[in-house]
Amino acid sequence: MKIKLLLTCLGFLAGAFILALTPARAADAVCYNCPPEWANWGQMLKNIKTDLGIDIPGDNKNSGQAIAQIIAEKASPVADIAYLGINAGISAASQDLVAAWKPARFNEIPDGLKDPEGRWWTVHQGTLGFFVNVDALNGAPAPACWADLLKPEYNGLVGYLDPTSAAVGYVSSVAANSALGGTLENFSPAIDFFKKLAANGAIVTKQTSYARVVSGEIPVLLDYDFNAYRAKYTEKGKFAFVIPCEGTVSFPYVMTLVKGAPHMDAAKKVLDYLLSDKGQLFWTTAYLRPAIPVEMPKDIADRFLPASDYQRAKAIDWAKAQAAQKVYSERYLAEVR
């Protein structure tokens, strides 16, 4: 009996040892900065699995973290593709981190929204504003202007992503700076604004914070329209998107093919899929404006703020903005944080 028990135990141990040595199933492709809670990437990754049979795990890096990881892995790349803010895409290209490759519908993307050599190209765009959990404002009205965020009634209620790391954080700085009279050569209005916002109890985060707004932990977040509309039309509670009275900016998000991608063929299929009619129309259901001019379904278009509100979004030279980011980040770290 003891021998049988001993043999059984040894069998279990051997099985466990074999399982420990068996590698987990690898992903079919790896995307850096494809966060399931951002821009409904979670559903897009499911669609890719269903339609292409390619399994891509979600990834919660921001643009800056994605680039840092690609640099660290440059000798032996892990990522195949990366989803980045346009400024980060320009930076990745300048550092020779991404391959020059043009997806099937590259020529249909408007000029200014793609690198001529195909090192990055826009997949969709969003407009920066205030993502508001109205129920969490302690009775205060939804803020209408940048200046409102500095009022005492919003003390400790306003959040934004770190502008030295996350693309949306830097876009928030560019938007505030532009709206408050600054230029890409003069970020003093943004520095002054964020210093005052810090004194008013600002919440600074490094990661996508959709869930923290929905829960009421961050009642007002400097974020994009697509996240606010998603909450407004899919979550319980009262949510709003506000384009500030002084103005704002719209911002393209781009895809890149990592240089030396280990799953190159699968990665290219995914990148083509994201620009297909089905892929581009999916982004509209996530309240994003697609890169390729496809008609937004009327029931979706009717959920956006009026076009007159969007006229307050100013055009920005994002290549120039990217060149200015380092100097701004240094000032922000020295003067605000």
Side-chain angles (χ1 to χ4, degrees), residues 79-133:
D80 298 291
I81 60 178
Y83 168 74
L84 305 166
I86 187 172
N87 56 317
I90 294 168
S91 175
S94 71
Q95 296 180 75
D96 197 30
L97 302 176
V98 292
W101 178 79
K102 298 178 181 180
R105 302 182 72 182
F106 183 82
N107 291 338
E108 297 178 54
I109 301 172
D111 291 340
L113 296 181
K114 60 188 176 185
D115 171 62
E117 296 179 16
R119 294 174 297 177
W120 55 263
W121 57 91
T122 300
V123 67
H124 54 227
Q125 300 185 71
T127 296
L128 195 287
F130 307 156
F131 172 14
V132 184
N133 183 330

Side-chain angles (χ1 to χ4, degrees), residues 85-307:
I86 187 172
N87 56 317
I90 294 168
S91 175
S94 71
Q95 296 180 75
D96 197 30
L97 302 176
V98 292
W101 178 79
K102 298 178 181 180
R105 302 182 72 182
F106 183 82
N107 291 338
E108 297 178 54
I109 301 172
D111 291 340
L113 296 181
K114 60 188 176 185
D115 171 62
E117 296 179 16
R119 294 174 297 177
W120 55 263
W121 57 91
T122 300
V123 67
H124 54 227
Q125 300 185 71
T127 296
L128 195 287
F130 307 156
F131 172 14
V132 184
N133 183 330
V134 178
D135 295 330
L137 287 177
N138 300 327
C145 306
W146 290 102
D148 289 341
L149 303 184
L150 305 180
K151 294 178 178 178
E153 56 262 46
Y154 299 103
N155 185 281
L157 302 183
V158 180
Y160 64 93
L161 271 72
D162 182 352
T164 68
S165 178
V168 64
Y170 183 53
V171 176
S172 299
S173 293
V174 173
N177 191 62
S178 175
L180 300 175
T183 67
L184 294 175
E185 293 79 26
N186 173 25
F187 269 95
S188 291
I191 293 293
D192 291 343
F193 173 79
F194 283 102
K195 284 170 70 175
K196 292 174 182 176
L197 196 60
N200 205 34
I203 304 165
V204 184
T205 178
K206 290 186 178 294
Q207 305 297 143
T208 300
S209 297
Y210 177 88
R212 295 177 70 181
V213 179
V214 171
S215 70
E217 182 185 350
I218 302 177
V220 180
L221 182 69
L222 305 188
D223 203 356
Y224 294 114
D225 51 355
F226 54 85
N227 280 328
Y229 294 142
R230 174 188 169 195
K232 181 175 181 178
Y233 296 112
T234 66
E235 304 285 359
K236 292 181 179 179
K238 187 176 182 181
F239 299 92
F241 177 65
V242 176
I243 296 178
C245 68
E246 304 97 332
T248 189
V249 300
S250 290
F251 186 69
Y253 274 85
V254 306
M255 297 304 304
T256 59
L257 177 65
V258 176
K259 198 168 185 179
H263 307 99
M264 187 71 74
D265 290 342
K268 290 179 177 179
K269 288 177 183 177
V270 170
L271 293 172
D272 277 339
Y273 180 84
L274 296 178
L275 288 178
S276 69
D277 279 347
K278 185 170 184 179
Q280 289 288 284
L281 283 170
F282 168 80
W283 295 126
T284 73
T285 69
Y287 307 106
L288 290 139
R289 294 191 304 283
I292 291 175
V294 296
E295 186 175 356
M296 188 177 293
K298 186 178 184 303
D299 61 327
I300 298 295
D302 287 347
R303 295 180 175 187
F304 281 66
L305 289 175

